[in-house]
């Protein structure tokens, strides 16, 4: 019989409080400075955090924006993506990845994912690009690779395909800031990378926030214009249709307090992942480690044999005070909002069997930098009790 979990220290799936306790005086000081300055929009903290983020990623430019979703939208607006355009993206991801092309009038073409990495499947991507071209209704315009759960997608392959097809490669790195591929951090891959600072991401603010990273100076200028209603050199010159997509000064100030912790937090995430791997590998499917890829471990998801085993593990965890979550219970092409777009994208719709099966097998375990060894051991014991 498991020990009564109420007698043990609680375990969070995420933890936004332990970190805050370490930096609360600095947060209070930084917020007070913004209140004193009154520069709530586009204050100097925004530029300061943009420089720091670009530096951390090793990217030439960073443009702070209002959310990860808006980062994706601004990047696609900068490419002029709209009606008649096909945007290829994985079916197994967060809704925002698919929502943005639809908002812009473009058509998302859902691509299956790799059963080991859970990231976009390169063979299926090629297949669907060929089908779209053969059908001739839509122009293949962009591929959005998602670094799911923090693991970099196969950017070498995606970039090569995009270069060959004249398509834009966009990195949805919302779950993966800090991750790297072949020694280069995300933010250096693809034409641009979209970051989210939603509170539970690897770098989170206390509200909504996001950023675009790019090595292309002209694109960075365009992103700055688009986030501020398409403004030109002067404030009341409108060059293009934009949006209100700015990063708040207070959120930038909060990010500046948190950034100095990030490198150590990424190391903690990796060591918790290693402890989980050591206890679970061989019994359940643990996150893949493709050569050259360093996950940021935004999440740590295992895949069970089937839905019945997942239910048993969920229940065993719950009984032991270990929270779990399912990202994602439905593939996007089965979502009521996207079914029609999926059916209309291609005359014949090839199935997406890996994404469909993973939704029944996936399970996220607690993952944050402030889990201690005893808590990590409780997590793996609970999983093993349920398999
Ligand atoms: C969180 C997330 C987003 C959206 O970011 P927001 O800041 O919440 O708008 C987009 N894509 C993925 C994969 C995400 O996990």
């Amino acid at each position: 019989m498991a020990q009564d979990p109420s007698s043990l220290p609680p375990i969070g799936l995420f933890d936004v409080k332990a970190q805050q306790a370490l930096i609360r005086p600095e947060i209070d000081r930084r917020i007070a400075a913004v209140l004193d300055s009154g520069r709530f929009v586009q204050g100097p903290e925004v530029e300061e955090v943009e420089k720091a983020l670009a530096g951390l990623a090793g990217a030439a430019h960073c443009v702070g924006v209002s959310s990860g979703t808006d980062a994706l939208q601004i990047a696609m607006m900068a490419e002029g993506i709209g009606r008649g355009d096909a945007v290829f993206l994985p079916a197994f991801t967060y809704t925002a990845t698919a929502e943005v092309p639809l908002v812009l009038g473009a058509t998302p073409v859902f691509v299956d994912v790799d059963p080991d990495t859970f990231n976009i499947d390169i063979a299926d991507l090629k297949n669907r690009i060929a089908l779209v071209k053969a059908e001739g209704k839509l122009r293949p315009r962009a591929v959005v690779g998602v670094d799911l759960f923090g693991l970099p997608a196969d950017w070498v392959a995606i970039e090569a395909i995009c270069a060959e097809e004249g398509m834009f490669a966009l990195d949805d790195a919302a779950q993966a800031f800090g991750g790297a591929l072949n020694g280069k951090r995300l933010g250096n891959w693809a034409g641009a990378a979209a970051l989210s600072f939603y509170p539970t991401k690897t770098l989170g603010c206390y509200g909504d926030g996001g950023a675009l990273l790019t090595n292309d100076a002209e694109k960075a200028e365009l992103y700055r214009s688009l986030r501020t209603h398409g403004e030109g050199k002067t404030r009341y010159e409108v060059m293009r249709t934009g949006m209100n997509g700015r990063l708040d000064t207070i959120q930038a100030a909060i990010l500046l307090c948190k950034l100095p912790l990030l490198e150590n937090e990424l190391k903690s995430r990796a060591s918790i992942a290693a402890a989980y791997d050591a206890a679970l590998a061989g019994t359940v499917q643990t996150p893949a480690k493709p050569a050259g890829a360093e996950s940021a471990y935004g999440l740590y998801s295992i895949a069970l044999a089937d839905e019945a085993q997942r239910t048993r593990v969920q229940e065993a965890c719950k009984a032991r005070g270990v929270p779990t979550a399912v990202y994602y219970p439905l593939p996007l092409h089965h979502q009521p909002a996207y079914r029609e777009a999926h059916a209309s994208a291609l005359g014949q719709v090839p199935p997406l069997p890996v994404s469909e099966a993973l939704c029944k097998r996936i399970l996220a375990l607690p993952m944050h930098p402030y889990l201690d060894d005893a808590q990590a051991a409780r997590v793996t014991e609970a999983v093993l009790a349920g398999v």
Side-chain angles (χ1 to χ4, degrees):
M1 211 25 228
Q3 191 179 349
D4 173 11
S6 64
S7 68
L8 296 166
I11 297 177
L13 194 62
F14 306 107
D15 185 339
V16 293
K17 285 194 181 152
Q19 180 203 50
Q20 190 185 112
L22 298 176
I23 51 170
R24 183 60 189 256
E26 181 65 3
I27 297 254
D28 288 342
R29 190 188 67 74
R30 280 273 192 179
I31 291 178
V34 178
L35 297 183
D36 288 342
S37 80
R39 297 185 62 187
F40 305 122
V41 176
Q42 296 296 93
E45 286 84 353
V46 174
E47 221 183 295
E48 194 183 338
V49 82
E50 287 174 344
K51 290 215 168 78
L53 290 164
L56 194 131
H61 308 279
C62 174
V63 180
V65 299
S66 39
S67 69
T69 307
D70 290 342
L72 293 169
Q73 179 162 336
I74 288 169
M76 288 193 214
M77 287 169 85
E79 301 307 312
I81 288 169
R83 214 156 291 287
D85 291 336
V87 176
F88 297 83
L89 55 99
F92 188 60
T93 177
Y94 183 59
T95 177
T97 321
E99 169 185 45
V100 172
L102 281 166
V103 164
L104 296 176
T107 303
V109 177
F110 296 106
V111 179
D112 213 354
V113 296
D114 179 276
D116 298 319
T117 65
F118 312 145
N119 281 330
I120 197 162
D121 184 285
I122 299 302
D124 196 51
L125 173 62
K126 287 182 182 163
N127 181 29
R128 281 170 210 260
I129 293 171
L131 286 170
V132 166
K133 283 164 73 176
E135 211 178 45
K137 278 197 322 204
L138 298 168
R139 281 184 304 272
R141 282 296 305 281
V143 177
V144 189
V146 179
D147 309 305
L148 201 72
F149 308 146
L151 181 71
D154 186 349
W155 286 108
V156 175
I158 297 170
E159 283 188 351
I161 291 167
C162 286
E164 196 180 312
E165 300 286 346
M167 296 167 74
F168 187 70
L170 176 57
D171 182 2
D172 180 345
Q175 300 180 2
F177 186 50
L181 181 62
N182 299 345
K184 277 201 303 186
R185 275 222 156 119
L186 296 169
N188 272 289
W189 292 94
L195 306 181
S196 165
F197 305 129
Y198 185 81
T200 57
K201 310 280 177 163
T202 55
L203 177 67
C205 57
Y206 294 148
D208 282 308
L212 279 160
L213 294 166
T214 181
N215 287 326
D216 182 330
E218 276 174 34
K219 286 287 163 65
E221 266 321 293
L222 195 45
Y223 298 159
R224 286 181 204 286
S225 168
L226 286 165
R227 79 170 167 190
T228 314
H229 305 291
E231 78 175 11
K233 292 262 181 297
T234 64
R235 189 152 168 201
Y236 294 104
E237 185 186 28
V238 183
M239 303 297 291
R240 51 190 67 83
T241 305
M243 61 192 280
N244 180 353
R246 294 174 296 238
L247 176 66
D248 285 346
T249 309
I250 284 184
Q251 299 304 343
I254 288 160
L255 291 169
L256 283 167
C257 302
K258 291 183 166 210
L259 255 176
L261 304 179
L262 186 69
E263 298 287 3
N264 273 331
E265 290 179 343
L266 290 166
K267 288 195 186 103
S268 300
R269 287 176 183 273
S271 80
I272 293 153
Y276 284 176
D277 287 347
L280 300 175
T283 308
V284 301
Q285 184 183 333
T286 52
K289 291 194 196 49
E294 274 173 64
S295 179
Y297 290 106
L299 290 161
Y300 184 100
S301 288
I302 56 173
L304 288 312
D306 53 31
E307 197 168 14
Q309 189 188 45
R310 181 175 72 183
T311 303
R312 289 199 302 278
V313 171
Q314 283 172 305
E315 282 165 5
C317 286
K318 192 162 177 226
R320 288 162 180 78
V322 172
T324 60
V326 173
Y327 306 108
Y328 296 93
L330 261 191
L332 290 182
H333 63 293
H334 286 178
Q335 288 287 358
Y338 304 140
R339 261 186 231 136
E340 194 188 312
H342 176 59
S344 71
L346 291 168
Q348 48 150 324
V349 184
L352 297 145
V354 179
S355 300
E356 287 161 22
L358 271 178
C359 290
K360 299 192 168 76
R361 297 172 50 221
I362 202 82
L363 191 66
L365 305 182
M367 173 50 81
H368 63 75
Y370 301 96
L371 278 171
D372 63 29
D373 292 347
Q375 289 174 316
R378 270 173 63 202
V379 171
T380 54
E381 279 158 24
V383 171
L384 294 172
V387 290

